């Protein structure tokens, strides 16, 4: 009986230690311009507004994916609007972002310059 309890404990330990931790996904906007900018970002109709001052950075989107395979860049959420000097830019194209990803951290940065 002790052997079965010991064996069960080892199986449970191996199962929990081998679980995938998932992938984190972040989008950061850095304002390298002279004027403040406004960023509207979010998903599922939960949009938040960020006012980013010159020289500052802000994480405008963060999400955790609990899956075994790495998400494709085209599958990630890109519903982000940038408002600068009353002009609206849609930042929904992945190629506009710098890919700073590593291992299980999917991180992208958008640089605003004059």
């Amino acid at each position: 009986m002790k052997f079965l309890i010991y064996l069960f404990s080892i199986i449970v330990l191996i199962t929990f230690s081998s679980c995938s931790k998932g992938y984190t996904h972040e989008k950061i906007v850095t304002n390298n311009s002279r004027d403040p900018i406004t960023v509207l970002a979010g998903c599922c109709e939960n949009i938040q507004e960020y006012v980013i001052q010159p020289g500052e950075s802000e994480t405008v989107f963060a999400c955790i994916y609990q899956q075994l395979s790495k998400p494709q860049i085209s599958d990630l959420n890109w519903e982000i609007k940038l408002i600068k000097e009353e002009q609206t830019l849609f930042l929904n194209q992945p190629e506009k972002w710098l890919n700073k990803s590593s291992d299980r951290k999917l991180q992208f940065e958008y640089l605003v310059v004059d």
Side-chain angles (χ1 to χ4, degrees), residues 19-102:
C19 289
S20 172
K21 307 236 185 311
Y23 293 86
T24 60
H25 173 209
E26 294 180 348
K27 294 213 174 53
I28 299 168
V29 176
T30 300
N31 184 3
N32 288 335
S33 70
R34 288 176 254 153
D35 300 311
I37 60 170
T38 301
V39 176
L40 303 174
C43 71
C44 308
E45 298 180 17
N46 184 15
I47 305 298
Q48 293 186 351
E49 181 178 305
Y50 302 88
V51 177
I52 305 172
Q53 299 300 321
E56 293 183 0
S57 295
E58 183 78 38
T59 300
V60 297
F61 183 83
C63 183
I64 297 174
Y65 293 90
Q66 294 294 333
Q67 61 189 49
L68 295 175
S69 61
K70 186 175 184 177
Q72 297 294 318
I73 290 176
S74 59
D75 295 334
L76 302 174
N77 180 0
W78 298 92
E79 297 176 27
I80 298 176
K81 293 180 191 175
L82 170 72
I83 302 169
K84 181 182 176 196
E85 298 173 357
E86 299 188 26
Q87 293 182 1
T88 301
L89 301 170
F90 294 91
L91 305 179
N92 57 357
Q93 297 90 2
E95 59 273 1
K96 291 186 175 185
W97 294 76
L98 297 172
N99 188 343
K100 294 185 161 189
S101 301
S102 62

